[in-house]
Amino acid sequence: MADVLSTKRLLIDKANTTVVIAVSLAVFLFVFSAVSTKTFISKAGYQNRVIAAKREAREQLKDDKEAVKKLRKSYNSFVSTDPNSIGGSRGGLDKKDGDNTKIVLDALPSNYDFPALATSMESLVATEGVKINSFNGTDDEIAQAANITSTNPVPIGMPFELSVSSDYGKIQGVITAFEKSIRPIELVTLDISGDREGLTMVVGARTYFQPAKSLNVTTKVVR
């Protein structure tokens, strides 16, 4: 009798062990499948986001290539116009001559160059036959070095003060020259002293330069 009970207990223990192993294996397979499925879904979602980002970049690249073609065509048309935008000859050497790109750069330089400004203003008023007493301003080139390029450029003022002497007619001609200058000149102060035959005019004014536009090329991490 004892042998029969012992045999039955062994069979029961064996059956229990088998059940435990089977359940453990089933749990392991379930957990493994769940983790694998989650990982697969996560990777699939990531790959889909990468593919979508690549498609978006490809479409943007196509648009950019078309924009470049249109820009090149517009630029060639703009630069080849003769006479230029201010009525000068495209290939001439006079002050009003030159292609339109030169005109634009002369009108609104892309960097802060005070010595060039002084030379330009002195040459402008010298044509009126006046005596240039002084040309003053601040050579702020070092401080403006950070404004060489910008993703969103805006005009930056370059203040200066000019003093000239002559008769009334020539002094008036200086104001007219400022008005006709290709560079934008904003008169801030104007002081005239003396008499009709001998006047001294001190002009406080401001012209501008505009930093070159830079392309803000960035990278995007797909998560």
Side-chain angles (χ1 to χ4, degrees), residues 9-118:
R9 184 175 296 280
L10 288 173
L11 292 173
I12 293 172
D13 290 343
K14 184 178 181 181
N16 288 339
T17 301
T18 303
V19 171
V20 170
I21 293 174
V23 171
S24 299
L25 181 61
V27 171
F28 171 77
L29 291 175
F30 175 77
V31 173
F32 177 79
S33 298
V35 173
S36 299
T37 301
K38 181 180 179 181
T39 302
F40 175 77
I41 293 174
S42 178
K43 288 185 176 180
Y46 172 75
Q47 292 298 331
N48 287 335
R49 291 193 294 273
V50 170
I51 292 172
K54 286 184 176 180
R55 287 176 178 171
E56 182 181 353
R58 183 184 63 188
E59 294 302 317
Q60 184 63 55
L61 183 59
K62 289 181 179 179
D63 293 342
D64 291 345
K65 290 176 68 176
E66 289 300 317
V68 167
K69 291 179 182 178
K70 293 179 181 179
L71 180 61
R72 184 181 292 115
K73 183 178 180 180
S74 298
Y75 173 81
N76 290 336
S77 175
F78 178 70
V79 76
S80 62
T81 301
D82 196 8
N84 60 33
S85 57
I86 58 174
S89 171
R90 178 172 177 267
L93 300 176
D94 194 58
K95 289 184 178 180
K96 295 176 62 177
D97 294 339
D99 61 47
N100 282 329
T101 54
K102 176 182 179 297
I103 300 299
V104 170
L105 290 175
D106 287 345
L108 200 60
S110 60
N111 62 302
Y112 192 104
D113 190 343
F114 190 80
L117 170 64

Side-chain angles (χ1 to χ4, degrees), residues 28-29 31 51 90 113 132 141-142 145 152 169 200-201 210-211 214 221:
F28 171 77
L29 291 175
V31 173
I51 292 172
R90 178 172 177 267
D113 190 343
I132 300 174
E141 184 175 356
I142 295 177
N152 187 29
T200 296
M201 179 176 69
Q210 180 167 301
S214 61
V221 178

